[in-house]
């Protein structure tokens, strides 16, 4: 079984369309034989995704820092709930367990996790596919910022291939398969 690391919102206050998409993703992951590794939370899209997977007999691994567990934020229905001390340890463990990464809509936590993975892709430390789920254009402005970074030569054109953008839940799987996972072109323009 392949394992997908999903970064997504911990907020319970979102429009129902976001919860519906997270639940749909959970169902499709089980159908397509993907297990989940994620931040282990019971709230927001995180909780919806994990519960949707468990309801359909899917496999869920949560990696949660002890301080969040103590605040009863953990999804206790996970097959495995790994307790770590820091947020950094959590990210490392999620990364090492995953065969690919998807960011659903989210806030700073989601963005920070996905940016770290793309940075590691750029440095050739990670060679696994990364996909943004651009639900209703949620990530349009971020992608525009990436295009500005490229135009101003903050990175090379090939670096734009280090992530892919999905426009629907089924498209997430298409993009995961289509992603280039070979080594990244070296980041540095010159080494002098
Ligand atoms: P955010 O997008 O700011 O809601 O943060 C969500 C991401 O940060 C998740 O992918 C988690 O790994 C982590 N995170 C933030 N808040 C929580 C929480 N209450 N429970 C579990 N993980 C969280």
């Amino acid at each position: 079984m392949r394992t997908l690391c999903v970064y997504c919102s911990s907020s319970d206050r979102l429009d129902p369309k976001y919860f519906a998409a997270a639940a749909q993703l959970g169902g499709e992951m089980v159908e397509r034989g993907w297990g989940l590794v994620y931040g282990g939370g019971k709230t927001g899209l995180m909780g919806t995704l994990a519960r949707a997977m468990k309801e359909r007999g899917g496999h869920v691994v949560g990696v949660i820092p002890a301080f969040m567990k103590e605040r009863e934020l953990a999804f206790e229905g996970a097959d495995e709930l790994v307790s770590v001390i820091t947020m950094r340890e959590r990210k490392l463990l999620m990364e090492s367990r995953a065969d690919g990464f998807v960011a659903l809509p989210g806030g700073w936590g989601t963005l920070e996790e996905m940016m770290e993975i793309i940075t590691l892709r750029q440095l050739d430390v990670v060679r696994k596919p990364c996909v943004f789920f651009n639900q209703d254009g949620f990530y349009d402005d971020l992608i525009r910022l990436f295009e500005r970074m490229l135009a101003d030569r903050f990175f090379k054109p090939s670096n734009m291939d280090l992530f892919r953008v999905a426009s629907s839940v089924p498209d997430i799987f298409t993009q995961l398969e289509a992603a280039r996972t070979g080594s990244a072109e070296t980041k540095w323009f010159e080494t002098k």
Side-chain angles (χ1 to χ4, degrees):
M1 185 178 61
R2 289 187 295 176
T3 301
L4 191 59
C5 178
V6 181
Y7 305 127
C8 60
S9 174
S10 57
S11 171
D12 281 323
R13 300 185 181 186
L14 310 173
D15 186 288
K17 68 182 178 183
Y18 295 115
F19 295 100
Q24 188 189 346
L25 175 62
E28 294 211 14
M29 283 174 64
V30 176
E31 261 172 43
R32 294 166 192 257
W34 286 86
L36 170 69
V37 63
Y38 83 121
K42 69 175 181 186
T43 65
L45 303 184
M46 304 174 77
T48 298
L49 172 65
R51 281 189 296 274
M53 290 203 58
K54 284 315 303 169
E55 278 160 18
R56 290 164 183 81
H59 193 260
V60 172
V61 177
V63 185
I64 192 154
F67 76 90
M68 280 190 183
K69 213 173 165 188
E70 281 155 21
R71 283 166 53 193
E72 298 187 347
L73 291 168
F75 172 59
E76 299 293 343
D79 295 278
E80 199 184 335
L81 197 55
V82 186
S83 191
V84 293
I85 303 298
T86 67
M87 294 292 275
R88 287 182 174 130
E89 273 178 87
R90 168 204 242 182
K91 286 190 295 176
L92 188 63
L93 202 62
M94 288 198 288
E95 181 234 298
S96 65
R97 293 261 192 133
D99 298 300
F101 306 89
V102 172
L104 303 189
W108 284 322
T110 301
L111 202 55
E112 188 264 343
E113 292 170 327
M114 193 62 165
M115 289 302 96
E116 181 182 82
I117 288 298
I118 293 176
T119 307
L120 294 173
R121 289 278 284 123
Q122 183 182 46
L123 296 171
D124 215 14
V125 176
V126 168
R127 293 183 180 177
K128 301 168 185 173
C130 300
V131 175
F132 285 98
F133 175 35
N134 193 23
Q135 185 176 2
D136 287 344
F138 181 82
Y139 282 115
D140 280 354
D141 288 335
L142 183 68
I143 293 159
R144 261 194 286 279
L145 176 63
F146 294 164
E147 284 161 0
R148 166 72 186 268
M149 290 171 171
L150 171 63
D152 288 357
R153 294 183 299 280
F154 285 94
F155 49 69
K156 293 177 176 177
S158 64
N159 286 170
M160 287 296 271
D161 300 336
L162 297 175
F163 67 89
R164 297 186 71 92
V165 180
S167 56
S168 66
V169 170
D171 191 36
I172 291 173
F173 300 94
T174 308
Q175 297 304 326
L176 281 168
E177 300 305 336
R180 199 170 61 86
T181 52
S183 57
E185 190 182 0
T186 51
K187 172 177 168 46
W188 300 277
F189 289 101
E190 57 266 321
T191 50
K192 297 188 262 184

